[in-house]
Amino acid sequence: MNASRFHDVVDLLLAQTNVSGMELARIFLRPHSSSLSASSSSFVDPLRPIYVETLVRMGAVLVTEVLDLLLQSSRLGKERVRELSKKDQERNGQWLASNELIEMVLHGLARLFVTEQRPKLPGEECSVLKMLSAWMMAVVTASSTDIMQDATGEAYHALMDARALTEAVGILMCAVAENPGVVEALVKLRPKDTMEKLGQALSRFIPYISPTLPTIANRLETFQQAHSLYDAKVMDAEKMLNGVGAGQLNLGGMAGLTGVDGPVVHSRAGLYIFLHALLVGRPTVDDSLILNHLIVRYKGEVHTATSELIVAAFDVLSNATFRNEPRQTLFLLRSFLINKVPLLLTTLAMSMFPPLTPEYCIGQALEHVDSQAFPSFSSMFDVSNDTGMFSSDVRQEFLFACCLHGLIPETSIEPLLGEMPMQELPPGGRYTKQALMEQCARDPVRIERLLGELEGTDGNVGAVVEATVEIIRNMCLSKETISLKSICVTLAKRPSSLDVMLCFATPAAILQPICELLDGWRYEEDQGEYQPVYEEFGCILLLVLAFVHRYDLDAVDLGVLNRESFIAQLLRPADAQQWMEESFSELEITEKEKKKEEKSRQLGGWIRGLFDAENDGISDELMSSCRPQDFYLLVPTLFKQSLLACQLEVMTLETLKGGLEYMLETFLLPSLIRAMSFLINHIWESPISSPPTFDNTPTSIDITMQILQVLIKPRSISGEAESIHSLVLSMIGKPLELSLRDLRRRDPNRGDIDPLLQVLQPHLTTRRTPVSHHSELEQWTSTPRGGLQTSLRNTFQSLVVWSTTPDISMTPASYTHRQILVAGQILGNRIVVKTLIEELVAQMQNESGELALDIAAALVCAPGVEDVPIVVIATTANDDTGNGGGREGQKRIQKSKARMSLREALRLEHEEVMVMRMGLASGLGKNIGNGNSGTGGNDEVRAEGVERLYRRVEGHFEAVAASVAATAAAAAAAASAATVVAGDLTTGGAEGGGDVSMLPLDMTVPGAGGDMTGNLEGTEHGTTTTLEGLDVAAAAAAAAAGMNMNMDLNMGMGDMDMGMDLGLASGGMSGLNMGMGMDMSMSGMGGMGMGGLGMGGMSMGMDLELGVDGGLGLDIPGPEQHQHQQ
């Protein structure tokens, strides 16, 4: 029932029943009897908080009764259970209220005080303030306990959940403190007991929330100063340390640190680190992520962001040159500079106005480019120039790419270059995706030429990638498998092309349509030959496997969410017999037996087809009875059974080798990838010594080596199959080499290993994963006086030195982001953060503190592949043809991180500093900060460094989140307005299957995890979070409910005002109106103002300052990870 109906029913029942307010509150706050346990009480009925608010409004329950009951049943009040009577303890049982329920109730109580519906009873003001004092003390005390536990990594997640609860307590305290009745009672009565408890609570609560909730802290501090609500013990401590009065209360410098530290200094290494993180392994070049980072970092100064982006891109390429990175890495970085950066500059140039122009910014940037790494065209003929890393002038190629995209006129290239250019604009001009697709539709041969242009350096690659991805998608939908086969094989043979494609598209965007095609692959009713079907299927699958092996992707990265789909099962690491034991554990017994029987029949058919001399071989009848998907899933079992049969002498070795030669046929060759993976793991797991035999029966390893010789060194192979065979070896070459080298180490007398290693040598392609080569790792770990940690210190110091004099020493400091990632894996991110803080503190004592702060913040904020959401195309309905012709929308998947991030580790360090300062304030830390202590001064300097780094990092992420939210709201409002103009914005259209498509909004917030607005829901994968994208249908529903959005965005030139008025008038939420506004001040950017927060008349002014200074995880890699590391 709704609130009005509930009010009437309660009135009727209260007239007939005598029940206390505490008992009444307990009825609606306590979980149902079936879910009294703490683990099952997390579900919150959305009506219960509304009912409690109604009870308080009508006077049936007191505010203090609700607050007391919630505190007793919360995690914060778990110690208070001891103070309850035995009867009350038995009545409570295992009741533990969820934070979500408590937050909703506290917000409802705040609404009553804002609308001045409370207080009404005499003395209610003082009793509520006392109760809130207990809440604030409980928050600080419980948090301090959890923080100390966090040192051993125990209560971290509970602490994260408590942040929202802390905010709810602060909002309620603000609402009570600003209530006219409460203020009047404090001024007139000045109740001593209430004032003392409130002063003690505020003196601890305000410093605690200042770093994370500055708006609420400022409002409470104003209330505290207006009524002189201070803790006498804290005042005495401050007078002893700082000699200041109550009006200047400063907890060991904490309050002073919450102010503005001065102008932010941007080091040259800051953006250099950011780009390194994007390109260190699999390219994660997301436009929204980069642009949001630039806007926040440079406070909307577009011209500065433009110049710094160009310089950083050249620096990254120059660094790779001097570090002798592989040529494929150099090519990727060069393509990023020439093909990607101009597109980003085009977006930035839209916000540029004279006299600042793109040409001016490009000219300024080129003056800071290292001429030694990027010599002019004429100096390349100088014999004394031994750099010679590039065959042409990269600066010239970059300028022509900028000219192609309209950033500079062609006449400006020569002045910017300083000499006459030796190349021209591409004869075809600037490509567009639509034009390229039309050309390919008219001339299919154009597709092959288009694929060849993926590795071009003329600035047109972005359009080529977009067209290629769209062509692949269309072919998958129309099932043009013959043409698709040719494209997939061509791309799979060109790893550099795959690298370039990921600069403009995600793996899911490229491969999801292919995975769906493979998963739903069916034989035609009139299918004649089955061998071509297997060949097409395998060649298309090769592209998927090429991506997976090169970038270490899983099914979710490919956009595959169904765990039982073919691709998900193919990529799942499992034993070859899993289909017999585990895959059907959730099926009915009859279904399980049916599946098992079918798989056994298929396996027997393939064994007879391969090894039975009296059989017809691989016949159409065999392939027609086994789909390609089933065959690829059977391959490990097939090899395991064959190997076992030979070992038990059921099958001769010659028969085994002869049968496996069938696997070298073109239509079966791609299956060798899965077969080789099984053999590689078998080599890792098999012991060298075997029980002695009387007739010299070959061991399992002997048979495996014989199989490898047949598959790696075939006696004969056709020309068409040879290219596919070479591609297969390039995918499994490195893991196989590692397993063979390990086998040679364990059994040095074997003479059949070296010939195989020689055959594999030309196929040892480099994988693009953020894992260091063993030689690089040995170099870091062998650093004198500290190993890996000392090498990390040296890298940080070199970045600071280079940033101090970037114009004098243009050659960038040697850096690879792999070092940070490897240090986090081996040492743990807690140790990495501690090391960064120590170096920051050391630099703060010199004149490089501000530069070191920016570099440390850049390292902590550096994005990873898990920070970019995976956009999955979700088809809402299919047409009758089954070709996926229904409406489509976007589902965003946020993968969870495998270990604690640097940001989370920094939070823990900051929490420890807060514990130290609160201990000082309460008189517990007698030696901390004492002038007689030998380490007190160092502790204070370190605390300042931690505080400033934490504020800088959190300020960055909060500003990025605000930028993303502003962009999303503006896009949603624009789309809604456009739909209204078109006359299509109706509730019936949204619900009745009208043409409503989801907006391609990119809401990437690095490191934000699940804090972004949106619908968060767990998925069956357990490691992902789904962020449903905003869509027009949602905008239509919001408009129908009375939602109005308006925004005035002026970045870097004035104020940024956002106002929201949300009206929710449906169901049981009738009458609830919420208005939201934001006022954010970013240094150098004017104000971003947040007007008032109104919830049913509730007005909260907020002013958020952004842009100011603000577990040990050890992985022992298994065989698969060893393959990556080397």
Side-chain angles (χ1 to χ4, degrees):
M1 67 183 74
N2 60 27
S4 177
R5 175 65 175 163
F6 176 77
H7 185 285
D8 296 338
V9 172
V10 171
D11 268 341
L12 181 62
L13 293 177
L14 287 179
Q16 302 173 1
T17 307
N18 184 17
V19 59
S20 67
M22 181 66 78
E23 192 63 32
L24 194 59
R26 192 187 307 275
I27 293 173
F28 289 95
L29 291 177
R30 187 180 184 184
H32 298 296
S33 58
S34 61
S35 60
L36 288 178
S37 65
S39 61
S40 61
S41 60
S42 58
F43 172 74
V44 178
D45 183 349
L47 290 176
R48 287 166 59 194
I50 298 176
Y51 292 162
V52 172
E53 181 183 349
T54 303
L55 291 172
V56 175
R57 182 185 294 111
M58 61 191 300
V61 177
L62 298 179
V63 175
T64 52
E65 292 174 335
V66 175
L67 291 176
D68 190 27
L69 189 59
L70 286 177
L71 185 56
Q72 291 178 22
S73 59
S74 70
R75 291 178 175 84
L76 302 178
K78 55 188 175 183
E79 296 296 330
R80 298 191 58 203
V81 176
R82 302 173 184 173
E83 304 173 9
L84 301 177
S85 65
K86 184 176 181 180
K87 181 179 180 181
D88 286 339
Q89 291 184 26
E90 293 176 354
R91 184 176 300 172
N92 272 343
Q94 297 296 321
W95 175 21
L96 185 62
S98 67
N99 283 353
E100 184 179 2
L101 172 64
I102 298 175
E103 293 162 25
M104 296 172 68
V105 173
L106 293 183
H107 283 301
L109 296 179
R111 183 161 42 246
L112 296 177
F113 280 90
V114 169
T115 57
E116 301 184 22
Q117 299 181 56
R118 310 300 302 180
K120 289 184 178 180
L121 302 176
E124 186 176 2
E125 304 90 349
C126 296
S127 60
V128 171
L129 288 174
K130 286 182 181 179
M131 200 66 241
L132 283 176
S133 300
W135 264 97
M136 289 187 288
M137 292 295 291
V139 167
V140 175
T141 302
S143 176
S144 301
T145 304
D146 289 342
I147 295 166
M148 298 308 295
Q149 293 174 353
D150 284 339
T152 59
E154 291 180 359
Y156 176 73
H157 293 291
L159 180 61
M160 295 298 102
D161 293 340
R163 292 184 183 276
L165 178 60
T166 303
E167 183 178 6
V169 174
I171 290 176
L172 176 57
M173 185 61 221
C174 288
V176 173
E178 295 167 359
N179 181 279
V182 175
V183 174
E184 183 179 0
L186 281 179
V187 173
K188 289 184 178 181
L189 302 178
R190 303 288 298 175
K192 183 177 180 181
D193 184 47
T194 301
M195 301 282 279
E196 287 181 357
K197 292 184 177 180
L198 192 57
Q200 292 174 1
L202 289 174
S203 296
R204 287 160 176 77
F205 188 70
I206 292 176
Y208 170 67
I209 67 172
S210 290
T212 55
L213 302 170
T215 303
I216 296 175
N218 291 338
R219 293 168 65 185
L220 292 180
E221 190 172 8
T222 301
F223 171 72
Q224 182 186 38
Q225 293 175 354
H227 300 280
S228 299
L229 300 170
Y230 298 103
D231 185 3
K233 295 180 180 179
V234 177
M235 291 173 61
D236 294 340
E238 284 299 315
K239 289 178 181 179
M240 179 181 64
L241 291 173
N242 301 328
V244 297
Q248 299 171 315
L249 186 64
N250 182 356
L251 294 178
M254 178 67 77
L257 287 174
T258 60
V260 178
D261 294 307
V264 176
V265 176
H266 293 130
S267 65
R268 184 164 177 174
L271 198 55
Y272 175 69
I273 294 170
F274 176 78
L275 293 186
H276 262 289
L278 291 178
L279 300 166
V280 63
R282 164 168 48 111
T284 53
V285 185
D286 181 83
D287 289 6
S288 176
L289 187 151
I290 297 175
L291 294 174
N292 283 324
H293 180 86
L294 292 174
I295 290 173
V296 169
R297 176 174 174 81
Y298 298 103
K299 307 296 183 279
E301 297 179 1
V302 181
H303 62 286
T304 304
T306 300
S307 299
E308 293 295 327
L309 175 61
I310 298 171
V311 173
F314 272 100
D315 285 341
V316 170
L317 181 55
S318 174
N319 173 70
T321 303
F322 291 111
R323 285 180 55 84
N324 294 320
E325 295 283 357
R327 286 200 168 272
Q328 288 185 352
T329 298
L330 294 177
F331 176 79
L332 170 63
L333 299 178
R334 180 179 178 182
S335 181
F336 172 80
L337 171 65
I338 298 171
N339 294 306
K340 185 66 178 182
V341 172
L343 292 176
L344 297 172
L345 300 183
T346 302
T347 304
L348 293 173
M350 295 178 182
S351 303
M352 218 176 279
F353 303 97
L356 297 176
T357 62
E359 181 178 349
Y360 171 79
C361 297
I362 292 172
Q364 291 290 312
L366 290 180
E367 292 180 1
H368 297 85
V369 171
D370 186 6
S371 59
Q372 182 180 359
F374 305 101
S376 62
F377 185 82
S378 58
S379 63
M380 290 182 181
F381 299 97
D382 186 357
V383 293
S384 62
N385 181 17
D386 58 353
T387 56
M389 296 305 300
F390 303 103
S391 59
S392 61
D393 186 0
V394 177
R395 296 181 305 131
Q396 184 176 159
E397 293 174 338
F398 172 73
L399 289 176
F400 272 97
C402 291
C403 178
L404 180 70
H405 291 280
L407 295 169
I408 57 175
E410 188 173 3
T411 55
S412 299
I413 295 179
E414 183 174 348
L416 290 171
L417 197 58
E419 62 182 5
M420 181 178 295
M422 304 302 293
Q423 70 179 68
E424 298 177 348
L425 289 170
R430 182 180 179 182
Y431 289 171
T432 63
K433 182 183 79 170
Q434 192 60 35
L436 291 175
M437 293 183 62
E438 292 175 357
Q439 294 174 18
C440 294
R442 293 192 302 266
D443 181 13
V445 181
R446 178 70 174 94
I447 298 178
E448 290 295 328
R449 299 200 307 271
L450 190 68
L451 298 180
E453 295 182 39
L454 285 172
E455 299 183 15
T457 54
D458 56 3
N460 269 325
V461 173
V464 174
V465 172
E466 291 178 358
T468 302
V469 172
E470 190 65 23
I471 289 172
I472 291 176
R473 176 176 173 77
N474 292 338
M475 287 183 174
C476 291
L477 292 176
S478 60
K479 294 183 170 58
E480 299 178 40
T481 54
I482 297 178
S483 301
L484 183 61
K485 164 195 165 184
S486 176
I487 293 177
C488 291
V489 172
T490 301
L491 289 177
K493 294 178 181 178
R494 300 173 179 174
S496 292
S497 295
L498 305 186
D499 295 342
V500 173
M501 292 181 72
L502 292 185
C503 288
F504 302 91
T506 64
I510 302 169
L511 299 175
Q512 186 194 354
I514 298 178
C515 294
E516 292 176 351
L517 173 67
L518 295 174
D519 188 47
W521 195 286
R522 298 290 185 273
Y523 289 136
E524 300 292 340
E525 294 182 0
D526 57 346
Q527 190 75 50
E529 297 183 43
Y530 292 89
Q531 182 173 318
V533 176
Y534 264 68
E535 183 174 339
E536 292 170 10
F537 183 93
C539 290
I540 294 173
L541 179 61
L542 273 177
L543 180 60
V544 177
L545 297 179
F547 271 97
V548 169
H549 282 264
R550 182 163 178 79
Y551 306 109
D552 194 22
L553 305 179
D554 58 25
V556 178
D557 292 321
L558 306 180
V560 177
L561 305 184
N562 182 5
R563 293 175 60 88
E564 300 307 318
S565 67
F566 163 67
I567 294 296
Q569 294 184 63
L570 188 72
L571 301 183
R572 189 180 303 154
D575 184 77
Q577 296 291 334
Q578 182 183 10
W579 61 267
M580 290 184 176
E581 301 171 2
E582 301 176 8
S583 298
F584 309 105
S585 58
E586 299 179 1
L587 298 176
E588 296 294 335
I589 299 299
T590 56
E591 185 69 18
K592 174 181 177 180
E593 293 298 328
K594 185 185 300 183
K595 290 284 187 180
K596 182 177 179 179
E597 182 180 350
E598 180 183 357
K599 296 293 184 182
S600 298
R601 179 179 53 80
Q602 292 173 346
L603 179 61
W606 280 102
I607 291 177
R608 288 190 298 271
L610 291 173
F611 306 115
D612 189 353
E614 299 178 359
N615 202 284
D616 295 334
I618 310 300
S619 63
D620 283 341
E621 181 182 357
L622 172 60
M623 290 185 286
S624 66
S625 64
C626 183
R627 298 185 311 154
Q629 300 97 315
D630 298 328
F631 167 71
Y632 277 85
L633 296 178
L634 277 177
V635 166
T637 304
L638 177 62
F639 270 71
K640 182 174 184 177
Q641 295 287 345
S642 303
L643 192 152
L644 184 61
C646 186
Q647 189 175 3
L648 297 176
E649 297 185 329
V650 177
M651 180 191 305
T652 66
L653 185 58
E654 291 302 320
T655 300
L656 175 64
K657 294 164 61 176
L660 291 181
E661 289 184 350
Y662 278 108
M663 304 295 288
L664 298 173
E665 296 293 334
T666 306
F667 68 99
L668 295 181
L669 256 175
S671 66
L672 285 187
I673 297 175
R674 189 159 168 83
M676 291 287 195
S677 298
F678 166 75
L679 295 176
I680 290 170
N681 290 330
H682 183 69
I683 293 175
W684 282 108
E685 298 167 0
S686 297
I688 297 303
S689 59
S690 301
T693 59
F694 297 100
D695 52 357
N696 295 323
T697 302
T699 65
S700 175
I701 288 294
D702 294 333
I703 300 172
T704 301
M705 295 301 296
Q706 292 289 329
I707 294 175
L708 289 177
Q709 289 181 12
V710 172
L711 300 180
I712 295 177
K713 299 174 57 179
R715 290 177 294 183
S716 63
I717 188 171
S718 65
E720 182 182 2
E722 186 175 7
S723 62
I724 303 295
H725 183 260
S726 177
L727 178 56
V728 169
L729 291 183
S730 68
M731 294 186 194
I732 55 88
K734 192 63 179 179
L736 180 57
E737 183 211 23
L738 295 177
S739 64
L740 291 177
R741 289 186 182 278
D742 178 74
L743 178 61
R744 185 175 60 181
R745 179 185 59 81
R746 291 184 289 156
D747 190 0
N749 296 325
R750 296 195 70 97
D752 53 358
I753 297 179
D754 287 339
L756 293 180
L757 291 176
Q758 293 177 4
V759 176
L760 290 175
Q761 190 60 39
H763 305 285
L764 300 180
T765 57
T766 305
R767 305 180 70 187
R768 286 210 60 83
T769 59
V771 180
S772 295
H773 191 269
H774 64 87
S775 60
E776 189 175 53
L777 184 58
E778 290 173 0
Q779 179 183 353
W780 292 333
T781 54
S782 61
T783 304
R785 296 185 299 276
L788 181 58
Q789 193 170 1
T790 298
S791 72
L792 190 61
R793 297 179 189 275
N794 296 340
T795 298
F796 187 91
Q797 293 168 7
S798 65
L799 290 171
V800 174
V801 172
W802 173 54
S803 297
T804 304
T805 58
D807 294 329
I808 298 177
S809 177
M810 289 190 178
T811 302
S814 179
Y815 177 77
T816 173
H817 200 65
R818 290 190 298 270
Q819 186 179 18
I820 302 296
L821 300 177
V822 170
Q825 292 173 354
I826 297 178
L827 302 176
N829 279 331
R830 288 295 301 273
I831 302 298
V832 173
V833 167
K834 288 179 183 293
T835 304
L836 295 179
I837 291 173
E838 291 172 4
E839 287 302 313
L840 171 60
V841 171
Q843 296 294 335
M844 287 173 60
Q845 298 175 358
N846 303 324
E847 296 181 355
S848 304
E850 296 300 324
L851 290 173
L853 177 62
D854 184 71
I855 293 172
L859 290 170
V860 176
C861 296
V865 292
E866 67 276 0
D867 293 318
V868 180
I870 301 169
V871 180
V872 179
I873 304 299
T875 303
T876 57
N878 289 330
D879 58 15
D880 295 335
T881 64
N883 290 333
R887 294 188 295 119
E888 293 179 343
Q890 290 184 352
K891 177 178 288 187
R892 311 182 70 81
I893 307 298
Q894 187 77 50
K895 297 183 68 175
S896 61
K897 299 181 180 179
R899 58 174 53 85
M900 178 188 298
S901 67
L902 290 175
R903 181 189 181 188
E904 293 165 344
L906 177 60
R907 281 180 177 173
L908 296 183
E909 292 295 321
H910 180 258
E911 301 286 7
E912 291 180 357
V913 170
M914 293 180 63
V915 171
M916 180 192 73
R917 294 190 178 279
M918 286 187 293
L920 170 65
S922 59
L924 298 177
K926 297 181 180 179
N927 294 326
I928 299 178
N930 194 321
N932 297 327
S933 173
T935 61
N938 293 334
D939 287 341
E940 280 302 314
V941 174
R942 186 182 186 278
E944 180 184 358
V946 172
E947 177 68 21
R948 294 188 66 191
L949 179 59
Y950 175 79
R951 287 172 52 82
R952 176 70 68 87
V953 170
E954 292 301 315
H956 172 81
F957 283 114
E958 290 174 3
V960 170
S963 176
V964 171
T967 304
S976 178
T979 311
V980 170
V981 173
D984 292 333
L985 186 59
T986 61
T987 305
E991 297 177 353
D995 187 12
V996 183
S997 60
M998 292 189 179
L999 298 176
L1001 299 181
D1002 199 329
M1003 303 180 65
T1004 302
V1005 185
D1011 296 335
M1012 279 301 300
T1013 57
N1015 180 23
L1016 303 181
E1017 59 182 35
T1019 71
E1020 58 181 0
H1021 300 279
T1023 60
T1024 61
T1025 304
T1026 302
L1027 288 81
E1028 296 289 353
L1030 296 178
D1031 54 42
V1032 178
M1043 176 186 292
N1044 298 316
M1045 300 182 182
N1046 56 79
M1047 178 177 298
D1048 184 2
L1049 178 61
N1050 188 356
M1051 299 294 289
M1053 297 186 178
D1055 294 334
M1056 176 176 179
D1057 300 317
M1058 293 191 296
M1060 261 189 190
D1061 186 62
L1062 305 178
L1064 304 175
S1066 61
M1069 305 294 286
S1070 173
L1072 175 61
N1073 294 308
M1074 181 184 295
M1076 298 180 65
M1078 190 176 282
D1079 190 285
M1080 304 182 184
S1081 278
M1082 297 187 181
S1083 30
M1085 192 179 163
M1088 254 173 87
M1090 207 173 201
L1093 172 63
M1095 302 173 67
M1098 176 177 179
S1099 176
M1100 296 185 182
M1102 300 180 73
D1103 184 54
L1104 176 60
E1105 298 283 340
L1106 297 178
V1108 285
D1109 291 344
L1112 184 58
L1114 180 61
D1115 282 352
I1116 306 298
E1120 295 83 358
Q1121 291 169 303
H1122 279 298
Q1123 298 166 17
H1124 299 170
Q1125 290 182 351
Q1126 305 189 42

